Amino acid sequence: MASKRDFYEVLNVARDASEREIAGAYRKLALKYHPDANSNDELATEKFKEAAEAYEVLNDPQKRARYDQYGHAGLEGMGQQFHEVEDIFEAFGDIFSGGLFGDLFGGGGSGGGRRGGGRRVRRGEDVRCDATLDLEEAARGVTKTVKLKRKSPCKKCSGSGAAPGSVAQSCQRCGGRGQVVQSAGILRVQTVCPTCHGAGHVISNPCDGCRGSGFVPEPVSLDVAIPAGIDDGMRVRLTGQGEPSPNGGPPGDCYCFVKVRPHSLFERDGTHLILRLPVTYSQATLGATVEVPTLAGPEELKIPPGTPSGEVFRLRSKGMPDPHGGRPGDLHVQMYIEVPKKLNAAQEALLRQLAELEHTDVAPHRKSFLKQLRSYFAATEDAAENEG
């Protein structure tokens, strides 16, 4: 094809489409252009590859964000091109084997192709872990050690699932392939063998250590390199660190979901930070140079005379890094005039002089409660005498 079409146009979805909508659109196209349904149709094969390339980018949050910002040029060295149909089955083995397609189509292989006399292999399941960061850690990037449980081959049966001294028998129903095939018009519908459940063999005497699965859960520790600028709710993928395949396929991935704690000073808005800075009336009126905190250390900020409350000043590139490699965000400093709750005698006298100069009505000098009480009773007595 001469030039690449827009990936959203390829999948026929809106630019704000959800992951579910993107997956659903890809499923329809893959079913429509699948090689099993379009034998010897080169155009359908190209459409099949094009849809897979679009899905590979739009299904990955980081690649999708970079594509949204820079288009195809931003994916150099990141996107995956599928030159052969087998590359698609290798990349999306979880989709073509019990995922989006529910074991439909037998001709394409899945999750790394077929091994052992045509038996379909499956990709291992993905696992999840979580990491919590401070805003400062998210700004500079950090390596976190996370703990989770992941399946490992059972040591008692060496991963075979059969009790020591016994062996698994080849499934007679599927001939060890793990799949049974039926014809449905022009398509071949391939489903998991109901006898061996896709394993290709039957264990008559299961291992009591793993109950015949061949795997046991074990705690593991993983180091997760979290990029600078990561935001709350984003995730980091650790390729190949998920569950092992049950029958020799590639392992799944581990997704580390990141939570960023709220900060005591800064509020985050994407890559930008917002800081509400208190200033005195005299600083806002006369102007001042104040020191403001940033993630990189204190910075001086010049406040012009006559700055109103609510005015926002921008410190360029003093916000958060862009995790996708773009320009850092800014720090927006919003002024607000802090009104003191207590004044000493000198401060009160000066402010009253200012009020007189401005011809502004202000509350009278505060009296003690006892003096106020005496004044109240005196006024009440005077009023009574006048009425009498």
Side-chain angles (χ1 to χ4, degrees):
M1 303 180 72
S3 59
K4 289 185 179 181
R5 290 196 296 156
D6 180 81
F7 285 154
Y8 292 98
E9 179 185 341
V10 170
L11 298 183
N12 193 26
V13 295
R15 301 193 75 84
D16 60 350
S18 65
E19 290 185 12
R20 181 183 294 272
E21 291 171 329
I22 289 172
Y26 174 55
R27 175 179 54 204
K28 293 179 182 178
L29 291 175
L31 286 170
K32 180 178 180 180
Y33 296 115
H34 195 284
D36 279 350
N38 302 272
S39 58
N40 301 320
D41 188 341
E42 294 185 3
L43 180 59
T45 300
E46 290 301 322
K47 293 281 189 181
F48 187 66
K49 295 177 183 178
E50 183 185 44
E53 185 178 358
Y55 175 74
E56 193 268 340
V57 171
L58 300 185
N59 188 53
D60 185 306
Q62 294 185 2
K63 291 180 182 179
R64 181 179 180 181
R66 192 164 183 83
Y67 177 74
D68 288 344
Q69 187 171 6
Y70 301 107
H72 291 293
L75 297 174
E76 293 183 4
M78 294 183 63
Q80 181 173 351
Q81 293 185 350
F82 301 105
H83 301 289
E84 302 293 339
V85 171
E86 290 297 332
D87 296 338
I88 299 174
F89 300 129
E90 179 74 25
F92 303 134
D94 56 332
I95 293 178
F96 287 96
S97 61
L100 295 179
F101 295 95
D103 290 310
L104 184 63
F105 298 118
S110 68
R114 300 168 182 270
R115 299 177 188 174
R119 180 169 59 88
R120 180 183 292 249
V121 297
R122 300 196 305 273
R123 180 177 176 271
E125 296 181 359
D126 295 333
V127 296
R128 169 177 177 155
C129 62
D130 298 273
T132 302
L133 313 179
D134 295 326
L135 186 65
E136 289 82 0
E137 292 178 315
R140 66 176 182 267
V142 67
T143 298
K144 285 283 186 178
T145 300
V146 297
K147 296 182 178 180
L148 65 145
K149 283 192 174 182
R150 186 177 63 191
K151 295 177 183 176
S152 297
C154 176
K155 296 179 180 178
K156 190 170 185 178
C157 65
S158 300
S160 69
S166 64
V167 294
Q169 302 295 323
S170 178
C171 177
Q172 294 182 357
R173 181 163 186 172
C174 64
R177 291 186 297 273
Q179 306 286 323
V180 291
V181 181
Q182 295 178 339
S183 297
I186 63 171
L187 303 179
R188 289 179 298 153
V189 180
Q190 182 166 281
T191 59
V192 174
C193 175
T195 300
C196 66
H197 305 290
H201 58 263
V202 177
I203 300 174
S204 57
N205 186 16
C207 170
D208 59 5
C210 61
R211 297 182 180 180
S213 68
F215 296 95
V216 292
E218 287 188 355
V220 294
S221 296
L222 299 176
D223 291 333
V224 184
I226 300 176
I230 197 164
D231 205 347
D232 188 72
M234 288 184 174
R235 62 184 186 178
V236 178
R237 181 169 63 180
L238 285 73
T239 304
Q241 293 295 335
E243 299 285 12
S245 167
N247 56 357
D253 299 329
C254 175
Y255 287 91
C256 180
F257 286 76
V258 175
K259 178 176 177 59
V260 181
R261 297 187 185 94
H263 198 273
S264 59
L265 294 177
F266 303 109
E267 179 184 343
R268 184 170 180 174
D269 181 14
T271 59
H272 301 306
L273 293 177
I274 301 170
L275 171 69
R276 296 187 72 244
L277 184 70
V279 294
T280 64
Y281 174 76
S282 57
Q283 287 176 317
T285 304
L286 303 176
T289 298
V290 297
E291 196 174 70
V292 298
T294 74
L295 291 176
E299 292 276 340
E300 287 190 347
L301 175 65
K302 186 176 181 180
I303 302 175
T307 296
S309 186
E311 185 80 6
V312 177
F313 298 91
R314 181 171 63 175
L315 299 181
R316 293 185 180 273
S317 300
K318 295 298 181 181
M320 297 291 291
D322 186 339
H324 307 299
R327 192 182 74 84
D330 303 325
L331 174 61
H332 297 270
V333 183
Q334 183 180 34
M335 305 286 113
Y336 75 92
I337 297 177
E338 189 175 42
V339 179
K341 294 183 178 180
K342 293 184 179 180
L343 297 173
N344 59 37
Q347 289 172 326
E348 183 176 341
L350 289 173
L351 285 176
R352 290 188 178 279
Q353 291 179 26
L354 176 62
E356 291 177 2
L357 292 174
E358 294 176 340
H359 303 288
T360 302
D361 292 331
V362 296
H365 196 289
R366 290 178 298 175
K367 300 178 180 178
S368 68
F369 179 75
L370 184 59
K371 289 182 178 179
Q372 293 179 34
L373 199 60
R374 290 172 180 171
S375 298
Y376 172 76
F377 286 139
T380 303
E381 291 175 358
D382 292 341
E385 290 176 0
N386 291 335
E387 287 179 1

